[in-house]
Amino acid sequence: MLMLNTTIVTISVFTALLLFCIWPTRFAKHYDFIDGDRIYSALVTETTLNISKLQLDECEYEDILEENPFMYKDVYTQRIHDTQEIRLGGEYYPGDCKPRYSAAIIIPYRQREQQLNKFLTYMHNYLRKQRIHYRIFLIEQFDRKPFNRAKLFNIGSVVAAEYGFPCLILHDVDLMPLNLGQMYACTECPRHMCSSLDEFRFNLPYEGLFGGAVAIRAQQFRFINGMSNMFHGWGGEDDDLYGRIIAKNLQICRFAPDYSEYTMLKHTKEVPNADRLAFLRSGPLRYHTDGLNSLIYAQKDFKLHNLFTHVLVET
Ligand code: UDP
Ligand code: BGC
Ligand code: MN
């Protein structure tokens, strides 16, 4: 009898422990979000000048937002169709209606060729279905210094400004949105787009996470002095960006989880910057002096490829 009891207790404890470990929402932070039916009115209607002059009826987006179709299989297994529709430099806008949104998609990059190939195929197929105007800017770090993701975004924002883009999407090369309703357009609030990521079991690890893929109006990015140029290696630079936004009394937002599902291509973890936490803590002292207003870099090459605008830089 005693044996049986001990076995039952052991099994129960083991099951409870197992459940605790694998429970999908164990680390989940629940967050405020913009519901699907409020997304359309939350988007800022703004395009580059040339698009605003198109003499066409405005594109419609209601069906995309209502249906929010799951894209992954469809888009991923396709090759890029009709590449001639995509303009030199990786720009696209629909030919039969006038888009409401123009977005510069900025990708910080170095030595991730396989991911880049997958990303370009997927994103051009996905984004053309959104009926927006976009252009993909690949900002590649040429030097061998530790990777500087935030500085590459600053550089991308300067290049995107030369093309008049009012909305910046700061985007990792290994992330792909799963549902079509995550519009690649800006909301008035800087938006964290990938809050439901497979890598984090579709949960948000912490409220202030503002990395991976975010959308921010170009004027707001300038207002917060962009990102820090001083984070080297992995980690912290996105948390510093969050700090800058909050310090200027802006609030971030997210779309509903169904609209924010992303998948990340598998890769080994980069070496974390050992000083990132201390650096992050002292970050507020540098918001005004370290950023767009202190950005120095050397452009080594600039090329328009079929699927992206390539900017090669020394940081
Ligand atoms: N990245 C890159 N080469 C590198 C390191 C980073 O191109 O050597 C870029 C790439 O766009 C990547 C992003 O920086 O998606 C963020 O890095 P990572 O994917 O390693 O971050 P994590 O997945 O750990 O958040
Ligand atoms: C790092 C961020 C990173 C996040 C999620 C944090 O500890 O500081 O840079 O995006 O973890 O991986
Ligand atoms: Mn990654």
Side-chain angles (χ1 to χ4, degrees):
M1 191 63 192
L2 188 67
M3 274 285 279
L4 189 66
N5 273 347
T6 322
T7 314
I8 291 172
V9 169
T10 313
I11 291 173
S12 311
V13 169
F14 183 76
T15 314
L17 257 172
L18 189 71
L19 266 177
F20 175 73
C21 290
I22 63 169
W23 196 251
T25 55
R26 180 159 71 110
F27 295 114
K29 280 273 174 307
H30 297 283
Y31 52 91
D32 292 335
F33 52 77
I34 299 173
D35 273 323
D37 54 5
R38 290 189 297 134
I39 291 178
Y40 187 66
S41 57
L43 295 172
V44 180
T45 310
E46 204 175 3
T47 63
T48 55
L49 196 61
N50 57 332
I51 295 294
S52 69
K53 288 181 180 155
L54 291 177
Q55 297 290 322
L56 290 167
D57 289 341
E58 201 168 74
C59 303
E60 287 177 9
Y61 302 91
E62 284 86 345
D63 54 337
I64 295 173
L65 289 168
E66 254 166 48
E67 291 159 25
N68 187 31
F70 182 73
M71 296 314 304
Y72 189 67
K73 258 207 212 122
D74 233 30
V75 176
Y76 197 44
T77 51
Q78 280 171 8
R79 303 179 74 82
I80 296 192
H81 291 307
D82 305 322
T83 34
Q84 66 268 36
E85 275 188 14
I86 302 168
R87 287 157 189 267
L88 192 64
E91 180 188 34
Y92 172 82
Y93 49 89
D96 56 352
C97 62
K98 175 171 154 171
R100 277 167 70 98
Y101 318 109
S102 288
I105 298 163
I106 303 175
I107 316 296
Y109 178 79
R110 185 170 70 185
Q111 283 186 322
R112 296 255 182 132
E113 206 173 326
Q114 268 190 6
Q115 293 183 0
L116 178 62
N117 286 334
K118 289 181 179 168
F119 176 83
L120 290 169
T121 308
Y122 187 85
M123 292 309 284
H124 277 297
N125 284 330
Y126 173 95
L127 290 167
R128 282 181 296 167
K129 290 185 205 291
Q130 283 198 339
R131 297 180 210 123
I132 59 166
H133 168 221
Y134 68 86
R135 184 183 190 107
I136 296 182
F137 294 90
L138 190 81
I139 317 296
E140 180 175 7
Q141 184 168 332
F142 174 73
D143 56 71
R144 289 169 168 272
K145 289 188 241 173
F147 193 69
N148 192 333
R149 180 173 177 271
K151 188 167 181 183
L152 297 176
F153 281 137
N154 282 344
I155 298 169
S157 78
V158 171
V159 180
E162 288 163 12
Y163 288 82
F165 278 95
C167 169
L168 309 177
I169 313 266
L170 313 179
H171 207 297
D172 284 0
V173 76
D174 55 12
L175 290 181
M176 299 184 298
L178 297 180
N179 302 90
L180 200 61
Q182 180 60 252
M183 295 299 297
Y184 275 59
C186 280
T187 33
E188 187 51 49
C189 39
R191 183 168 94 256
H192 183 227
M193 300 169 81
C194 55
S195 49
S196 192
L197 179 61
D198 61 356
E199 184 71 11
F200 299 138
R201 292 195 283 181
F202 296 101
N203 295 315
L204 183 69
Y206 58 101
E207 194 83 32
L209 180 60
F210 202 65
V214 305
I216 182 166
R217 300 184 71 185
Q219 61 189 50
Q220 289 171 332
F221 195 71
R222 282 192 292 272
F223 179 57
I224 62 167
N225 196 21
M227 296 177 77
S228 166
N229 298 306
M230 297 169 73
F231 279 84
H232 293 283
W234 185 91
E237 82 295 340
D238 49 351
D239 304 314
D240 185 81
L241 170 62
Y242 178 76
R244 287 170 184 245
I245 291 170
I246 300 304
K248 287 286 192 184
N249 290 321
L250 295 170
Q251 269 192 350
I252 68 151
C253 60
R254 298 186 170 93
F255 288 166
D258 291 359
Y259 289 75
S260 308
E261 288 176 353
Y262 276 70
T263 185
M264 190 177 91
L265 296 167
K266 294 278 166 277
H267 61 79
T268 49
K269 196 172 154 52
E270 298 290 338
V271 183
N273 168 2
D275 303 328
R276 69 187 189 285
L277 292 180
F279 209 68
L280 189 59
R281 267 195 298 275
S282 58
L285 300 171
R286 291 183 297 271
Y287 292 164
H288 298 290
T289 51
D290 164 26
L292 287 178
N293 65 1
S294 64
L295 179 63
I296 297 174
Y297 65 99
Q299 190 169 297
K300 306 302 281 183
D301 199 13
F302 181 92
K303 261 207 192 88
L304 302 183
H305 290 256
N306 286 340
L307 301 181
F308 57 94
T309 296
H310 187 201
V311 189
L312 189 65
V313 294
E314 220 165 57
T315 58

